[in-house]
Structure formats: structure tokens, C-alpha cells
């Protein structure tokens, strides 16, 4: 079984990235026999990040974060998207099979435009590039959040169209969603996203983390009154760190009253800071030794290219590219 995932280096990693994508990937890497393909999606990041200096810096920072959080380049194939140029060629070839109506129905595009992102071709055709990422490595499973399920379905549709036209070359991928953490809420209760500026960042300093946790939206229930944990943004985030007994204990604290939301925000702040303490130390090491990151990524790209070369040779032959 081959599993593939990518994460954009368009900003600092946050809890939504970790619990919806990175943590499940690390667990699968460490506890299964699956082939793991993991990449930093810097081409995708260009849809929302136009500053060259920031993109380069963010790419290395994202790679350092992946490694610090547990991605093992010995167990997984780990690279930067732009190191495998085949993905752009496949993106163009798949574009010839992509109906406009299919992309016009993509809700992620509509959502991002509604949030103020510029409506350009790169953003519109994003699902085709994502399809190329997936199909270029014949990935069978693609761990995603709920908002990305449609994009995996588009990749599957394009694989079917290509196979029907040219023969069985591409594997049909399936989205893999952990239902209990498919959508991690942000500080405002909406989906946690860099685009919405409602994140709690993994590698922020103590002051920033405290500020982000303190900004979580709550209701006006008085301190002495019981609190509704079922509809509380703080609880919805905190439970991701907790086992069943710990969740039950936190629910009891909410139900008893006598504690304000400030206490629960402080608790979440401590949970987050302590949980990522080992990763934070590794992250600082990698950021101070960036040549090590570059060597790891180049090695991963060589491994990835062996797979992509095989698949692209079949694709070129099928469509008549000399």
C-alpha cells in the first residue's frame, strides 16, 4: 500500500496541520508496512504566497518542521515538490482531460475566493496539480482533511478518464480521513487555517502561543457557572491532546463550574507547549543546520524520481510525447 501526502509551506505549521495530516502520517509511518511518500508542496504554495524570499525560507522551515515532528527519511520518501519537475508535465497532460465544469464545482476554490484570495488560473487549476502529485506516484491512499476530499475525488476522476483513453496506467486513489479530527477548529470556531488567521502555531514562542490560546472565542458564561464543553472551542482543541480518561476529567471541570474560560485557555496553552517541547528542540537544531535539511531533501527527491520516471515514461508513450 502506498500513501502520499503533501503540505504547503505557505506559513507556520499549526495544530490543524498536525492533527489532521502530520500525526496520522507519522503513526502510519511508524506502525504499518505502507510505503510513505511525503512532500513539501511549494508549487501549491504559490497560489497564496508570491514573495520569493518567503517561499524559499518557508520551504526549508516546513521541511525542518516535518522532520522535527517525526518524519523519518529512512522509512519514508521525503522531498520538495519542485525537485520533481515531472509533476508539472503531468499537470499539463491531465489538463487536456479536465472539463471546465469539474473545476468550476470545486468548493475549495470558491471558498478561498470568498475569503479574499485573488481568482487566478493557478488557484482555479489547483486540483489538477494536486491530481498530478497523487497520480505521478500511483498513490493508493491520500490522508486529507474533509475540505480536500473533493480534490482526491477529482484526481480519481482524471485517473479514470486517462485510463479509459490510454490504458491502465494510473492507480485510482482514495481519500483517507480520520473522522474525529478531520476538521480542527481554529480560535474563532471555523476550520483552523492560515488563510483565516485563526491558528495556534506549533513552533511559536511562549508569548505568541499564550496570545493565540487567549484569543479563542468563548461565550459569556460567568466563572462560577457550569460550562458547555460540547460547544466550546477550547475543549474541541484540547481534546485532541487527551486520552478518553483525560477528556472525561476535563468535561467534569467544565460541568462543575468554578473555573472561567481563562483557566481552560491556560490549560490548553500548557498542553500545547509541553506536547511539542521535544519537537521544538529538534526544530531549532535543523534551522541551525539547514545543510542537513537540504541533503535529506535531495536524497528523498532521488528516491521519488525513480518512481515518477517509470510512470512518466508510460504516460509520454501513451499520449505521444517524444
Amino acid at each position: 500500500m502506498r500513501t502520499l501526502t503533501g503540505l504547503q509551506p505557505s506559513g507556520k505549521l499549526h495544530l490543524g496541520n498536525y492533527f489532521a495530516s502530520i500525526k496520522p502520517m507519522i503513526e502510519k509511518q511508524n506502525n504499518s508496512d505502507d510505503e510513505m511518500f511525503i512532500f513539501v508542496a511549494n508549487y501549491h504554495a504559490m497560489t497564496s504566497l508570491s514573495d520569493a524570499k518567503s517561499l524559499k525560507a518557508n520551504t526549508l522551515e516546513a521541511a525542518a518542521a516535518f522532520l522535527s515532528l517525526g518524519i523519518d527519511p529512512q522509512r519514508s520518501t521525503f522531498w520538495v515538490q519542485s525537485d520533481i519537475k515531472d509533476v508539472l508535465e503531468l499537470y499539463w497532460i491531465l489538463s487536456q482531460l479536465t472539463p471546465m465544469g469539474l473545476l468550476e464545482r470545486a468548493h475549495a476554490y470558491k471558498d478561498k475566493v470568498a475569503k479574499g484570495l485573488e481568482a487566478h488560473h493557478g488557484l482555479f487549476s489547483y486540483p489538477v496539480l494536486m491530481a498530478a502529485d497523487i497520480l505521478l506516484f500511483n498513490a493508493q491512499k491520500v490522508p486529507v482533511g474533509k475540505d480536500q476530499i473533493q480534490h482526491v475525488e477529482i484526481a480519481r476522476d482524471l485517473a479514470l478518464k486517462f485510463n479509459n483513453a490510454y490504458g491502465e496506467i494510473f492507480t485510482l486513489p482514495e481519500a483517507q480521513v480520520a473522522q474525529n479530527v478531520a476538521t480542527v477548529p481554529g480560535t474563532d470556531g471555523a476550520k483552523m487555517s492560515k488563510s483565516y488567521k485563526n491558528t495556534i502555531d506549533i513552533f511559536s514562542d511562549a508569548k505568541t502561543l499564550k496570545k493565540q490560546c487567549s484569543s479563542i472565542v468563548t461565550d459569556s458564561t460567568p466563572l462560577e457557572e457550569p460550562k458547555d464543553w460540547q460547544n466550546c472551542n477550547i475543549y474541541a482543541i484540547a481534546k485532541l491532546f487527551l486520552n478518553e480518561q483525560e477528556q472525561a476529567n476535563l468535561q467534569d471541570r467544565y460541568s462543575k463550574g468554578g473555573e472561567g474560560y481563562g483557566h481552560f485557555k491556560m490549560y490548553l496553552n500548557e498542553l500545547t507547549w509541553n506536547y511539542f517541547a521535544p519537537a521544538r528542540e529538534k526544530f531549532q537544531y535543523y534551522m541551525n543546520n539547514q545543510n542537513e535539511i537540504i541533503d535529506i531533501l535531495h536524497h528523498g527527491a532521488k528516491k521519488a524520481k525513480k518512481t515518477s520516471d517509470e510512470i512518466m515514461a508510460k504516460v509520454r508513450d501513451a499520449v505521444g510525447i517524444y
Side-chain angles (χ1 to χ4, degrees):
M1 185 74 69
R2 182 173 293 165
T3 300
L4 177 141
T5 195
L7 192 67
Q8 291 189 37
S10 53
K12 298 186 182 299
L13 291 182
H14 54 74
L15 299 187
N17 300 139
Y18 179 74
F19 285 107
S21 179
I22 301 172
K23 185 172 183 282
M25 176 64 74
I26 293 168
E27 289 174 347
K28 181 168 284 193
Q29 169 195 264
N30 295 339
N31 301 312
S32 78
D33 295 326
D34 285 11
E35 288 184 275
M36 311 302 292
F37 280 62
I38 307 164
F39 66 96
V40 181
N42 57 337
Y43 282 141
H44 284 294
M46 293 177 71
T47 61
S48 58
L49 183 61
S50 58
D51 179 71
K53 186 176 179 180
S54 295
L55 181 58
K56 289 178 182 178
N58 287 0
T59 298
L60 283 176
E61 185 174 317
F66 266 123
L67 293 168
S68 302
L69 291 168
I71 296 303
D72 184 347
Q74 300 304 315
R75 294 184 179 185
S76 299
T77 301
F78 178 53
W79 75 101
V80 172
Q81 185 183 27
S82 60
D83 279 342
I84 308 294
K85 304 300 181 185
D86 288 343
V87 72
L88 296 181
E89 183 178 0
L90 182 55
Y91 162 67
W92 180 248
I93 291 170
L94 292 175
S95 293
Q96 316 313 310
L97 299 171
T98 307
M100 288 292 290
L102 186 64
L103 297 182
E104 288 168 349
R105 291 191 294 273
H107 56 74
Y109 170 77
K110 297 175 185 175
D111 291 345
K112 288 180 179 179
V113 171
K115 290 290 183 179
L117 270 69
E118 182 184 354
H120 54 65
H121 176 263
L123 190 62
F124 183 70
S125 63
Y126 179 108
V128 186
L129 182 56
M130 183 168 168
D133 292 323
I134 296 167
L135 302 182
L136 184 60
F137 300 98
N138 272 345
Q140 294 156 296
K141 298 289 184 182
V142 185
V144 290
K146 281 185 177 179
D147 62 319
Q148 292 286 317
I149 293 174
Q150 186 185 39
H151 287 169
V152 180
E153 292 172 346
I154 289 173
R156 187 180 179 90
D157 289 344
L158 294 180
L160 280 168
K161 286 177 70 70
F162 189 96
N163 289 351
N164 288 337
Y166 299 109
E168 297 295 320
I169 292 177
F170 293 129
T171 297
L172 303 185
E174 294 182 7
Q176 195 169 53
V177 182
Q179 293 299 326
N180 60 327
V181 294
T183 300
V184 178
T187 56
D188 58 356
K191 175 183 177 286
M192 189 174 289
S193 170
K194 292 182 283 285
S195 301
Y196 303 160
K197 295 180 172 56
N198 65 352
T199 62
I200 295 176
D201 299 331
I202 295 172
F203 295 111
S204 60
D205 57 54
K207 183 178 179 180
T208 301
L209 178 62
K210 182 179 180 180
K211 182 178 180 181
Q212 290 176 335
C213 290
S214 296
S215 71
I216 296 174
V217 176
T218 58
D219 60 36
S220 57
T221 304
L223 183 147
E224 65 277 3
E225 295 292 325
K227 311 293 185 298
D228 180 10
W229 60 265
Q230 292 176 303
N231 295 300
C232 178
N233 295 328
I234 307 168
Y235 178 84
I237 300 170
K239 73 175 184 180
L240 300 171
F241 294 96
L242 306 176
N243 60 36
E244 288 187 11
Q245 184 57 55
E246 290 167 334
Q247 289 181 35
N249 292 342
L250 183 56
Q251 291 169 20
D252 286 342
R253 288 175 60 185
Y254 270 80
S255 300
K256 288 177 181 176
E259 290 186 271
Y261 287 115
H263 294 95
F264 297 123
K265 290 177 180 180
M266 189 182 303
Y267 174 65
L268 174 61
N269 180 75
E270 292 173 358
L271 275 179
T272 306
W273 183 260
N274 293 333
Y275 184 91
F276 291 110
R280 231 176 4 257
E281 186 175 336
K282 292 178 183 177
F283 180 73
Q284 288 304 318
Y285 170 81
Y286 280 118
M287 293 305 293
N288 291 330
N289 296 274
Q290 295 189 11
N291 286 338
E292 286 192 32
I293 305 174
I294 293 169
D295 288 344
I296 289 169
L297 293 172
H298 284 171
H299 177 69
K302 288 179 181 179
K303 287 170 62 179
K305 200 169 189 319
K306 290 180 181 179
T307 300
S308 67
D309 281 348
E310 292 177 6
I311 293 170
M312 281 307 299
K314 295 177 183 178
V315 170
R316 294 186 190 107
D317 184 60
V319 302
I321 295 296
Y322 176 73

